[in-house]
Amino acid sequence: MRSCHIAGRFRFRGVFCEESGRHLRLHCIFAGAGCEWTATTRADVFEPVSRADVRRIILSSPTKSSSLDPIPTFLLNDVIDDLLPYITKLINASLQHGHLPAAQKKAIVTPLLKKPDINTADMVNYRAVSNLSFLSTTVERVVADQLNRYLASSGLMPPLQSAYRACHSTETALLRVMSDVFAAANQQRVTLLGLLDLSAAFDCVDHNILLLHLQRVFGLSGQVLTWLRSFLTDRTQCVAYAGVISLVVELLW
């Protein structure tokens, strides 16, 4: 397959996909700026989190509550100093053993209408909002904080990624694309822009491919990779709608 210039200075060399059950496995090969990363460092253990870090993360988090929580989040914030030693020990135990307890992998899904005046009988018009326990989201933020620092310090963060990054947004992505388009136009070059919009994009990610990619490209191993595997597997959920809660089911992927 011939190479071609596209906006963002990527060179697309090849792509093939494989249908596996309800998974669409996408395998892409890219070459060019922002497309190839090779880990020169390894991350095999998490750093023990301090009480000060846990306190900072909890107080900076939204005060949303879940029916899975024993007490409302706003009340927990009021007594945070009394509960902080126990919460910190629970989080460090999870990181040390590379395991996320089953209770923290249970979600309550609430279907919400995307717009107020649309057909309520059509399931496509609903957005599924998944609510996890407060402790579960706190552990996630601790892990995300350490992983982001590792990726940034190791130079492994994709330079052209604008999503899920501090000081980045759709605005920075658009500015980069427009900059490349104008630069190509000044050189009298033709720009081809391909836009992909995946429905339920995160559901299209194969967990085994993701874990293998994290290991080989980003250098994650040991307890870090074990914890991420535990985080992705054996998750359960139930649906809450009109005051009724469904049976708990195990997620297949």
Side-chain angles (χ1 to χ4, degrees):
M1 181 177 293
R2 293 182 57 189
S3 299
C4 64
H5 174 79
I6 65 175
R9 299 179 185 175
F10 288 98
R11 291 188 179 275
F12 174 77
R13 292 172 49 194
V15 62
F16 64 93
C17 62
E18 170 189 352
E19 190 74 34
S20 175
R22 292 190 61 182
H23 283 296
L24 181 62
R25 298 184 177 182
L26 299 178
H27 307 264
C28 303
I29 303 173
F30 292 99
C35 299
E36 292 182 343
W37 311 281
T38 302
T40 57
T41 57
R42 311 295 295 181
D44 55 1
V45 293
F46 288 108
E47 299 175 2
V49 63
S50 67
R51 295 183 185 180
D53 288 334
V54 174
R55 191 178 195 278
R56 172 183 56 82
I57 290 174
I58 291 177
L59 295 181
S60 63
S61 301
T63 56
K64 298 178 181 178
S65 296
S66 170
S67 57
L68 296 171
D69 297 325
I71 61 174
T73 304
F74 73 89
L75 182 58
L76 183 142
N77 289 344
D78 291 340
V79 294
I80 183 61
D81 292 328
D82 295 324
L83 298 177
L84 194 58
Y86 307 101
I87 296 176
T88 304
K89 286 184 178 180
L90 288 173
I91 293 175
N92 281 326
S94 175
L95 301 182
Q96 179 182 358
H97 296 289
H99 176 73
L100 189 66
Q104 297 177 31
K105 293 190 283 187
K106 178 182 178 181
I108 295 181
V109 179
T110 304
L112 300 178
L113 280 173
K114 297 178 180 179
K115 297 180 180 179
D117 299 325
I118 53 179
N119 184 11
T120 58
D122 191 347
M123 296 296 102
V124 178
N125 294 329
Y126 288 87
R127 178 181 292 106
V129 178
S130 180
N131 292 316
L132 296 163
S133 68
F134 170 81
L135 186 58
S136 175
T137 55
T138 303
V139 177
E140 286 184 33
R141 289 186 174 93
V142 169
V143 171
D145 183 63
Q146 294 198 21
L147 288 180
N148 282 326
R149 284 192 281 110
Y150 162 73
L151 294 175
S153 63
S154 302
L156 293 171
M157 188 68 75
L160 299 183
Q161 177 181 326
S162 286
Y164 309 104
R165 295 181 68 180
C167 304
H168 289 71
S169 65
T170 54
E171 183 178 355
T172 56
L174 181 60
L175 287 173
R176 176 55 191 258
V177 171
M178 293 303 298
S179 175
D180 289 341
V181 171
F182 289 144
N186 289 336
Q187 300 175 15
Q188 297 184 341
R189 301 176 65 186
V190 176
T191 297
L192 302 179
L193 178 61
L195 302 176
L196 300 178
D197 185 9
L198 297 177
S199 178
F202 287 103
D203 294 336
C204 298
V205 177
D206 182 274
H207 292 169
N208 291 327
I209 294 178
L210 173 62
L211 292 170
L212 187 62
H213 194 72
L214 291 174
Q215 180 181 14
R216 291 182 176 178
V217 179
F218 293 99
L220 303 186
S221 60
Q223 294 292 63
V224 174
L225 196 65
T226 301
W227 189 94
L228 291 173
R229 183 177 290 107
S230 175
F231 174 81
L232 293 171
T233 56
D234 300 326
R235 304 192 71 93
T236 59
Q237 70 176 27
C238 60
V239 178
Y241 183 73
V244 180
I245 299 180
S246 71
L247 297 175
V248 177
V249 296
E250 183 176 353
L251 298 182
L252 300 179
W253 55 82

